[in-house]
Amino acid sequence: MIDDRLNITHANANAFQMLGYSKKDIIGMSIKEIIHQDDKKILNYLTKQTFASSGDYIVVKLKTKRGEFKKAILHISKIATPQTYIIATGKDITQNTELQRIIENTLKRDPLTNLLNRYAFIDASEEYLERAKYQDKLSSIIVIKPIKFSQINEVMGFENGNKILIEISNRIKNFLRKYDLVAKLESSKFAVLLKDIAREEDIFVISIDLIKELARPYYVNNRKLNISFNIGISMFPIDSNDAKDLLEKAEIALIDARLKGENAIGFYKENLKSETERKLQINQDFPEALSNKEFKLYFQPYFDIESKRIVGAEVLVRWIKNGVTIPPSEFIPVLEQTRNIVKLEDYVIKETIAFIEEFKNKLNLIPLSVNLSPTSLMDDDFIDKLISMAGKLSQFINIEITERLFLDKLNKAKSLLKKLRAKGFRIYIDDFGTGYSSLSYLSSLPIDCIKIDISFVKKILEDEKTKAIVKTIIYLAKQLNLFTIAEGIETEKHLTALKEMGCQIAQGFLLSKPLPKEDFLNLLKNH
């Protein structure tokens, strides 16, 4: 018998004999002293508020007075008198390895479906999540429940109800990957740990498809049954890092699904559901939008800071759907999580080259800068295609890249940028100072220009440290024979300050906002 501080208050002769302690030795000893290190998580279990009404079974290794360990199966329950005590009765199973195997399997498995039970599922999930925390993995626990299953038991009997539960468990196992975890919880609930998911919206898609699979008709004794389901979702690490907590939050999400009706999905955080659905919708709408040319090029000029002459322009993309403009901040980050960003950038390059082809003999054409993601730039086929498409027009094309490109594959990035520069492209570092920011790559990479990020430009008038950083960037660029572009200039005071610091080129709403094609052409004609 153990008190609420986990100190032993009573033991019988069998316990003395098994563990080798006398009554004097063992009374008052903490249970922590005799539980094996591998089983320390059982201590958290013992201190939880409630056990099952009939008590719970655990298998644990106990330390004897001689320092050996014996394995026991214990039945534990709680009583209040009024102080709370834990009563543990059990059997030494150290010598019977076959019995150990049978008991441990029985304690971990649901007897009907042979799936993991709640406690084994939490243990196995926690073991996986401990690794996933250090590997930047996205995962999810989902809880699945058939709607009004108790009515099936009442009408068809528990034997037929059990047949349906077995069929549900088989469908879940067959639908998922072999390394995902599946469990049978209490009553008719099931739980799943989805491992190593690429994107949040993939969890949503998997859940939708799983409901479709589970909602197919069931046949028992030549009788057709249609069953509806609800699914509750929690996400790792967004909702929690703890398996038990994630399971509980998925069960809370199940309540949300139930309120929505049949075959519905609930999220622990409803705003996450909206965000996930939005991402899914963007990727679903993308192919048709690309085909229908819903993506339009906009141009934001660069100006020489001394003469105010236009010396270049950045090509930007806007998604105009049914007359409504979707800003890049909404769709670019979503597309960057898939290969769709490569398809979009391929489209932007083709449209930019077509623009240059059309107007190179009609206007004194300036260079145009195209933003490329790390995904596209690290793709050798994409680079070869870019070089082939541009041909001799590469002299009119600047490639803007972010510092993220250099985080993992600096040598490959260097090789690809040299290849582009050898073909006539110029290389700009965009958003300088917000990413990798290592001075070492500036001297080793084939780049032509540094773009000073808007977050620095906005603060140069009121923050002396930021002003000093911008001055240093401009000075460093000059020493390396690079020129600088300041982004996001919105006032004359900012423009004057940057001019005094020696910045050569300016870009921002003060000088020109991003313009659609016709307005940009008119600006070039009149400038």
Side-chain angles (χ1 to χ4, degrees), residues 284-429:
Q284 285 180 337
D285 291 347
F286 174 77
E288 185 177 353
L290 200 61
S291 175
N292 293 339
K293 294 202 168 185
E294 293 176 10
F295 294 98
K296 305 296 182 185
L297 298 192
Y298 274 58
F299 303 84
Q300 188 172 24
Y302 303 140
F303 294 81
D304 181 274
I305 212 162
E306 292 281 353
S307 66
K308 301 287 180 71
R309 182 173 58 88
I310 297 176
V311 292
E314 181 178 2
V315 179
L316 304 169
V317 63
R318 301 288 184 267
W319 186 350
I320 302 174
K321 187 175 183 66
N322 300 323
V324 177
T325 300
I326 304 172
S329 59
E330 280 197 26
F331 65 85
I332 294 292
V334 177
L335 298 181
E336 280 186 331
Q337 295 178 4
T338 69
R339 292 287 297 176
N340 282 337
I341 191 64
V342 178
K343 295 175 183 176
L344 176 63
E345 289 172 347
D346 181 66
Y347 170 84
V348 169
I349 288 167
K350 286 177 180 174
E351 292 293 302
T352 301
I353 290 171
F355 178 89
I356 294 169
E357 281 279 11
E358 184 177 356
F359 295 103
K360 69 177 193 274
N361 296 322
K362 300 176 184 178
L363 294 168
N364 184 19
L365 203 61
I366 56 174
L368 300 178
S369 296
V370 179
N371 292 278
L372 291 186
S373 66
T375 306
S376 295
L377 269 164
M378 300 308 274
D379 185 328
D380 292 280
D381 291 339
F382 183 89
I383 296 300
D384 289 341
K385 186 177 180 182
L386 168 59
I387 291 169
S388 174
M389 284 192 297
K392 293 181 180 180
L393 298 179
S394 61
Q395 62 182 308
F396 293 108
I397 301 174
N398 306 323
I399 303 297
E400 289 200 16
I401 58 177
T402 64
E403 294 170 291
R404 283 181 299 156
L405 179 64
F406 313 126
L407 281 175
D408 299 319
K409 299 179 180 178
L410 178 60
N411 288 334
K412 183 171 183 182
K414 190 187 300 185
S415 171
L416 291 172
L417 293 179
K418 281 183 178 177
K419 188 174 182 180
L420 286 169
R421 206 150 174 262
K423 295 296 182 180
F425 297 92
R426 280 177 290 185
I427 311 298
Y428 290 14
I429 302 292

Side-chain angles (χ1 to χ4, degrees), residues 116-378:
L116 296 175
N117 61 23
R118 175 183 289 270
Y119 304 113
F121 176 75
I122 291 173
D123 283 348
S125 298
E126 192 61 42
E127 189 177 321
Y128 164 76
L129 294 180
E130 277 300 318
R131 295 195 304 272
K133 288 173 189 176
Y134 304 102
Q135 297 172 348
D136 198 25
K137 301 286 188 182
L138 178 67
S139 304
S140 174
I141 286 183
I142 67 175
V143 175
I144 306 151
K145 184 168 175 58
I147 296 172
K148 297 179 180 177
F149 196 79
S150 58
Q151 293 181 5
I152 294 174
N153 284 329
E154 290 170 9
V155 174
M156 302 189 66
F158 284 99
E159 185 178 341
N160 287 324
N162 286 343
K163 289 179 181 177
I164 294 170
L165 289 175
I166 292 169
E167 174 63 20
I168 291 171
S169 74
N170 288 334
R171 290 192 190 185
I172 294 172
K173 285 189 296 184
N174 292 335
F175 175 83
L176 298 171
R177 300 162 298 183
K178 291 190 182 301
Y179 54 82
D180 292 323
L181 294 179
V182 186
K184 167 73 166 54
L185 307 181
E186 304 79 15
S187 183
S188 56
K189 281 195 295 189
F190 295 82
V192 170
L193 172 67
L194 298 173
K195 299 180 180 180
D196 302 349
I197 301 296
R199 297 172 298 275
E200 293 162 21
E201 56 266 35
D202 291 345
I203 298 168
F204 191 49
V205 172
I206 291 168
S207 299
I208 290 171
D209 291 342
L210 179 56
I211 277 187
K212 289 177 184 177
E213 171 64 18
L214 294 176
R216 289 191 298 106
Y218 294 81
Y219 296 90
V220 179
N221 297 337
N222 297 319
R223 184 173 176 179
K224 177 181 175 183
L225 286 176
N226 290 310
I227 304 174
S228 298
F229 290 80
N230 288 137
I231 284 181
I233 297 174
S234 66
M235 296 187 186
F236 167 87
I238 299 162
D239 294 323
S240 179
N241 287 324
D242 177 77
K244 184 172 181 288
D245 194 33
L246 283 168
L247 180 57
E248 289 172 355
K249 287 177 175 176
E251 290 179 299
I252 292 170
L254 195 62
I255 298 170
D256 174 55
R258 195 181 307 138
L259 293 172
K260 293 174 182 173
E262 297 184 358
N263 296 326
I265 295 170
F267 282 71
Y268 176 68
K269 293 177 182 172
E270 192 58 29
N271 64 328
L272 190 61
K273 174 181 180 292
S274 303
E275 179 73 6
T276 303
E277 287 179 326
R278 184 188 66 82
K279 288 180 179 180
L280 183 62
Q281 194 64 51
I282 285 171
N283 278 311
Q284 285 180 337
D285 291 347
F286 174 77
E288 185 177 353
L290 200 61
S291 175
N292 293 339
K293 294 202 168 185
E294 293 176 10
F295 294 98
K296 305 296 182 185
L297 298 192
Y298 274 58
F299 303 84
Q300 188 172 24
Y302 303 140
F303 294 81
D304 181 274
I305 212 162
E306 292 281 353
S307 66
K308 301 287 180 71
R309 182 173 58 88
I310 297 176
V311 292
E314 181 178 2
V315 179
L316 304 169
V317 63
R318 301 288 184 267
W319 186 350
I320 302 174
K321 187 175 183 66
N322 300 323
V324 177
T325 300
I326 304 172
S329 59
E330 280 197 26
F331 65 85
I332 294 292
V334 177
L335 298 181
E336 280 186 331
Q337 295 178 4
T338 69
R339 292 287 297 176
N340 282 337
I341 191 64
V342 178
K343 295 175 183 176
L344 176 63
E345 289 172 347
D346 181 66
Y347 170 84
V348 169
I349 288 167
K350 286 177 180 174
E351 292 293 302
T352 301
I353 290 171
F355 178 89
I356 294 169
E357 281 279 11
E358 184 177 356
F359 295 103
K360 69 177 193 274
N361 296 322
K362 300 176 184 178
L363 294 168
N364 184 19
L365 203 61
I366 56 174
L368 300 178
S369 296
V370 179
N371 292 278
L372 291 186
S373 66
T375 306
S376 295
L377 269 164
M378 300 308 274

